[in-house]
Amino acid sequence: MEVFNFIWTVLTTPNEFNRNLFIIPCTFIESFILMNLFLLILNISSKRNIKILYVSIFSLIMIGTNFLIPSPFNVFINYLSAFILMLILFKASPFKALISLVSSLAIFGIISSLILNPYITLLNINAEQLSTIPIYNIGFLLTIYTIDFILIIILKHRNIKFNLLEDIDTKNKSIIFLNFIFGIFTLGVQVAITVYYIDKLPLIITFLSCISLLAYFGISVYSLTKVMKLTLTTRKLESAEEYNKTLHILHDNVRGFKHDFDNIVTTIGGYIRTNDMEGLKNYYLQLEDDCQRVNNLYLLNPEIINNPRYLQSAYQ
């Protein structure tokens, strides 16, 4: 009984050390959730040992910066580390890694802003109690993590795929990048306002603000999807145009071959009708010589020019 009383006292007593102690396991949970979110957005799969390595390294970095570096600089270092780990461990391109990381942070931020005011209103506490009393802080974090887990399960169950193209032109990449940076800045300002003025903001204001953020990111994702589809359509049209040019070249070659073949048949027919066997033999030798010269053009094959070994394999 005394053990339970001790645990309850630790959980309900305002103490920075106790709160940080309980934050450590929450850090590993947050790393795991963030990893699953951006892997869904990146639409890539990875081995279990790579995932464990990422969660372990990123969690240790967050724990270290939480104790050694003051806020908000520790947050910047944490997510810069997440970006670098995504590049190294998951072999993501910088553009994909940036978009997926910003999107994951946006999901975290929107969910936090959405439930913060209702949470403290329901428990009848203030922002200081939330930040200093471990049981309230842990309950708030676990609520966020639960919603994130449910979101991840829904995305996986629905088999929703996000296709981020790497070969978007520089102009569109810049627009998307600035759009997401502006969005995350707006989200950061909103979270800061919510945290510092949570006791003064009415619940309806918080709700409307979160709805606005959801609408903004929803429209941004919709616009990004349209840009991706437009890029794919443009690429398909370019491929179709190249294919059409190839068909024209083949058609011209076939017409040229038909013309030459008609001439050959007509000439052979002339020799046969006049019973000129000597002329037919000479004409045949001429055709053989022409065929040999055409066969020599095989050496102009790009595969042979770029890779001489191809010629050896062709004759083996």
Side-chain angles (χ1 to χ4, degrees):
M1 192 68 179
E2 292 181 359
V3 174
F4 290 105
N5 288 332
F6 174 76
I7 294 175
W8 180 252
T9 301
V10 170
L11 288 174
T12 56
T13 302
N15 188 299
E16 185 69 18
F17 176 78
N18 291 337
R19 188 182 72 87
N20 289 332
L21 184 64
F22 286 103
I23 289 297
I24 292 177
C26 292
T27 300
F28 284 89
I29 299 174
E30 183 175 339
S31 300
F32 179 76
I33 294 174
L34 182 64
M35 178 191 68
N36 278 278
L37 281 174
F38 67 65
L39 285 180
L40 279 172
I41 296 172
L42 285 173
N43 192 19
I44 62 174
S45 58
S46 182
K47 296 180 179 179
R48 179 178 297 180
N49 59 337
I50 299 297
K51 294 180 180 179
I52 294 175
L53 182 62
Y54 170 84
V55 171
S56 301
I57 295 176
F58 186 48
S59 299
L60 292 175
I61 291 175
M62 286 201 294
I63 293 171
T65 56
N66 182 61
F67 288 104
L68 300 177
I69 301 176
S71 181
F73 301 105
N74 61 330
V75 177
F76 174 77
I77 294 176
N78 289 341
Y79 294 115
L80 178 61
S81 302
F83 177 75
I84 295 174
L85 288 174
M86 290 166 64
L87 297 178
I88 296 175
L89 296 180
F90 298 110
K91 310 301 181 183
S93 66
F95 176 72
K96 281 188 173 183
L98 179 63
I99 296 300
S100 61
L101 180 60
V102 171
S103 301
S104 304
L105 295 179
I107 292 173
F108 262 97
I110 290 174
I111 293 175
S112 301
S113 300
L114 190 60
I115 69 172
L116 180 56
N117 204 329
Y119 182 81
I120 66 172
T121 302
L122 181 64
L123 296 180
N124 195 23
I125 59 176
N126 54 40
E128 183 179 355
Q129 289 175 310
L130 175 64
S131 62
T132 57
I133 299 178
I135 191 171
Y136 295 140
N137 191 267
I138 294 172
F140 176 69
L141 291 176
L142 291 180
T143 303
I144 297 174
Y145 299 158
T146 301
I147 296 175
D148 285 328
F149 268 121
I150 293 173
L151 177 62
I152 291 172
I153 292 172
I154 291 174
L155 292 176
K156 287 184 177 180
H157 179 70
R158 294 286 183 177
N159 198 28
I160 298 175
K161 302 294 184 180
F162 301 90
N163 185 22
L164 296 177
L165 301 178
E166 296 184 15
D167 52 351
I168 301 177
D169 59 89
T170 305
K171 181 181 179 180
N172 281 326
K173 277 188 177 182
S174 301
I175 294 174
I176 293 171
F177 175 77
L178 292 175
N179 184 52
F180 272 82
I181 292 298
F182 176 75
I184 205 67
F185 174 77
T186 304
L187 179 62
V189 172
Q190 174 61 33
V191 171
I193 293 173
T194 304
V195 170
Y196 289 106
Y197 298 98
I198 192 65
D199 299 328
K200 300 178 182 179
L201 288 174
L203 187 60
I204 186 63
I205 297 298
T206 303
F207 177 76
L208 291 175
S209 177
C210 290
I211 292 298
S212 300
L213 285 173
L214 284 172
Y216 169 78
F217 280 101
I219 293 173
S220 297
V221 171
Y222 177 78
S223 301
L224 178 60
T225 303
K226 290 298 182 182
V227 170
M228 300 303 177
K229 288 183 178 180
L230 179 61
T231 303
L232 281 173
T233 303
T234 303
R235 187 187 304 166
K236 289 179 180 179
L237 288 175
E238 291 175 351
S239 298
E241 185 178 354
E242 291 297 324
Y243 180 70
N244 190 41
K245 289 180 180 179
T246 303
L247 287 180
H248 277 292
I249 294 173
L250 289 174
H251 179 260
D252 292 340
N253 290 337
V254 170
R255 288 184 61 187
F257 173 77
K258 180 181 180 300
H259 180 267
D260 293 340
F261 184 76
D262 288 342
N263 290 337
I264 291 172
V265 171
T266 302
T267 303
I268 292 175
Y271 284 120
I272 292 175
R273 282 191 295 270
T274 59
N275 199 24
D276 185 1
M277 291 297 105
E278 188 65 28
L280 181 60
K281 290 178 182 180
N282 292 332
Y283 183 67
Y284 175 77
L285 292 175
Q286 180 184 347
L287 288 177
E288 252 192 348
D289 186 55
D290 291 341
C291 287
Q292 184 62 40
R293 285 199 297 269
V294 171
N295 288 335
N296 290 335
L297 295 177
Y298 175 78
L299 297 175
L300 296 178
N301 187 341
E303 293 289 345
I304 298 176
I305 296 174
N306 297 326
N307 185 12
R309 294 181 180 179
Y310 182 85
L311 181 61
Q312 296 178 358
S313 63
Y315 284 100
Q316 289 177 353

